[in-house]
């Protein structure tokens, strides 16, 4: 089959499309090649900011999205939230600019643009931050005990927290679980389309299994609408739990425990990884458990893990050895 050259008139029409149309076509292309829904949702959110920005400035043709326009947008993104809640986090700025850069490259590749105006962009460096809060094993129990087991929602929340603490799965992964994803006979959990659209199987402990089983028998089995929704964890209306609502409830439990620490869903993931590393878990095993694509992402837990460093310090530091030998300083 001989490839025919593209009609210049068709190419001109495509390059004359509005930014909103280019972005919409890009997102449709991502869906058609199987990108994860969470990835598409994130890029949609960031690119919506760009299309609104172009609309307010009457930029109604993609050919007007040139280097000067992109530089104006970059400066606007950096300064967008000054005077309200402070500057946007560098990670958010990076995500917004990175999403637009991907569109520009795609538009050139698909002949919707004659050039890529973002090719010279240098994206801001995103600092690798340590988890804000990690709980001790005693503190975890205090948080878990805050759930009111006399109420359906309290029992559900306890089951969710036990499962997240046992497996280290993310909020979206917990909400996305269906009943069939829990493989109790294998003591395993099938995580469908985790971050990056990758499936994985993670082990789940007996204690978490017992709490989830209790929730299913005592609460889910009588929740209205349960037959129409395959989700493992249901709202009171029988629908899949909303992410923001779960965050609010788990945050309330952490604050209510009066630990002087803040957090919600992700604190269980950070705590699990840190405590397991403290007790000798290999960093590569943790990488697989957590579903990290890069080992560098998992290595933040080597910095948070204090217990192992404290033991090495006590065992090898000359001053500590001297104290154990009865040498007292003056």
């Amino acid at each position: 089959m001989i490839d025919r050259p593209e009609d210049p008139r068709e190419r001109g029409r495509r390059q004359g499309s509005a930014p909103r149309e280019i972005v919409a076509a890009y997102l449709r292309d991502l869906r058609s090649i199987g990108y994860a829904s969470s990835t598409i949702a994130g890029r949609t959110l960031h690119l919506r900011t760009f299309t609104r920005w172009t609309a307010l400035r009457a930029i109604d043709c993609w050919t007007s999205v040139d280097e000067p326009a992109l530089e104006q947008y970059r400066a606007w993104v950096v300064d967008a939230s000054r005077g309200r809640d402070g500057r946007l986090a560098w990670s958010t700025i990076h995500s917004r600019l990175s999403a637009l850069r991907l569109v520009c490259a795609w538009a050139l590749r698909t002949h919707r643009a004659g050039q890529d105006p973002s090719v010279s962009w240098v994206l801001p460096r995103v600092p690798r931050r340590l988890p804000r809060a990690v709980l001790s094993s005693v503190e975890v129990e205090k948080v878990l005990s805050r759930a009111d087991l006399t109420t359906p929602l309290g029992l559900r929340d306890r089951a969710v927290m036990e499962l997240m603490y046992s497996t280290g799965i993310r909020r979206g992964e917990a909400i996305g679980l269906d009943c069939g994803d829990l493989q109790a006979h294998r003591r395993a959990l099938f995580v469908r389309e985790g971050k990056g659209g990758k499936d994985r199987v993670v082990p789940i402990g007996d204690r978490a299994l017992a709490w989830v089983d209790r929730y299913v028998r005592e609460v889910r089995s009588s929740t209205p609408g349960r037959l129409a929704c395959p989700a493992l964890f249901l709202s009171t209306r029988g629908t899949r739990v909303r992410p923001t609502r779960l965050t609010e409830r788990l945050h309330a439990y952490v604050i209510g425990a009066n630990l002087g620490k803040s957090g919600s869903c992700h604190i269980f993931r950070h705590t699990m990884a840190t405590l397991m590393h403290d007790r000798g878990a290999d960093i590569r095993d943790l990488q697989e458990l957590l579903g990290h694509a890069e080992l560098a992402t998992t290595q933040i837990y080597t910095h948070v893990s204090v217990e192992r460093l404290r033991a090495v310090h006590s065992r090898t530091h000359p001053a500590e050895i001297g104290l154990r030998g009865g040498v007292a300083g003056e």
Side-chain angles (χ1 to χ4, degrees), residues 196-207:
K198 298 177 181 177
D199 298 341
R200 70 184 191 279
V201 177
V202 297
I204 178 173
D206 290 333
R207 182 172 116 170

Side-chain angles (χ1 to χ4, degrees), residues 15-310:
Q15 293 182 10
S17 299
R20 175 177 51 80
E21 295 170 344
I22 294 291
V23 167
Y26 167 72
L27 294 172
R28 285 196 300 271
D29 196 30
L30 293 188
R31 294 187 186 93
S32 70
I33 58 179
Y35 268 64
S37 57
S38 57
T39 299
I40 295 173
R43 292 189 189 175
T44 299
L45 179 65
H46 293 307
L47 291 170
R48 186 179 297 137
T49 302
F50 173 69
T51 55
R52 287 173 177 170
W53 182 86
T54 57
L56 289 172
R57 287 155 183 79
I59 301 175
D60 55 3
C61 180
W62 188 259
T63 55
S64 299
V65 181
D66 52 15
E67 288 190 36
L70 286 189
E71 179 56 28
Q72 292 177 31
Y73 179 68
R74 186 201 65 77
W76 179 82
V77 168
V78 172
D79 295 337
S81 60
R82 284 183 178 175
R84 295 185 300 168
D85 302 321
R87 179 183 293 177
L88 289 170
W90 283 115
S91 58
T92 303
I93 295 172
H94 185 280
S95 295
R96 288 188 179 179
L97 299 181
S98 178
L100 180 54
R101 191 176 190 178
L102 290 169
V103 173
C104 290
W106 174 86
L108 175 63
R109 190 170 64 252
T110 58
H111 308 297
R112 288 172 169 81
Q115 61 179 352
D116 179 357
S118 71
V119 69
S120 61
W121 260 10
V122 177
L123 296 179
R125 182 180 179 183
V126 180
R128 188 174 294 279
R129 300 187 182 277
L130 299 180
R132 292 182 181 179
V134 174
L135 305 177
S136 69
S137 56
V138 174
E139 289 173 332
V140 172
E141 299 305 323
K142 290 182 179 179
V143 174
L144 295 174
S145 67
R146 298 293 303 174
D148 184 357
L149 302 181
T150 64
T151 66
L153 282 181
L155 184 51
R156 182 204 67 187
D157 292 346
R158 178 64 184 264
V160 171
M161 290 189 289
E162 290 279 358
L163 183 140
M164 296 180 82
Y165 178 41
S166 178
T167 63
I169 61 174
R170 303 174 178 92
R171 178 186 68 174
E173 294 170 344
I175 291 172
L177 289 173
D178 289 342
C179 291
D181 295 332
L182 181 65
Q183 303 170 1
H185 63 288
R186 296 178 57 197
R187 297 175 64 224
L189 196 66
F190 181 71
V191 180
R192 194 183 309 275
E193 286 195 9
K195 195 170 184 179
K198 298 177 181 177
D199 298 341
R200 70 184 191 279
V201 177
V202 297
I204 178 173
D206 290 333
R207 182 172 116 170
L209 274 175
W211 278 102
V212 173
D213 178 67
R214 179 178 172 184
Y215 158 72
V216 170
R217 287 185 291 101
E218 299 182 17
V219 177
R220 195 189 186 285
S221 61
S222 57
T223 300
R226 65 190 180 280
L227 299 179
C229 182
L232 176 60
F233 298 111
L234 298 176
S235 68
T236 54
R237 295 173 298 170
T239 58
R240 204 174 291 271
V241 181
R242 289 187 292 116
T244 53
R245 185 57 179 152
L246 184 62
T247 293
E248 290 170 0
R249 293 189 63 83
L250 269 57
H251 178 72
Y253 293 134
V254 175
I255 296 300
N258 295 318
L259 304 173
K261 298 179 180 180
S262 181
S264 54
C265 301
H266 231 59
I267 199 171
F268 295 99
R269 179 175 171 87
H270 290 320
T271 296
M272 183 214 77
T274 303
L275 296 182
M276 287 185 66
H277 186 65
D278 277 342
R279 288 158 175 76
D282 184 83
I283 196 70
R284 292 192 179 276
D285 291 330
L286 287 178
Q287 178 188 4
E288 188 170 347
L289 278 172
L290 297 171
H292 287 158
E294 301 291 337
L295 183 62
T297 307
T298 318
Q299 285 174 332
I300 61 171
Y301 297 108
T302 65
H303 302 295
V304 180
S305 185
V306 177
E307 293 300 322
R308 180 177 295 189
L309 293 178
R310 184 180 292 123

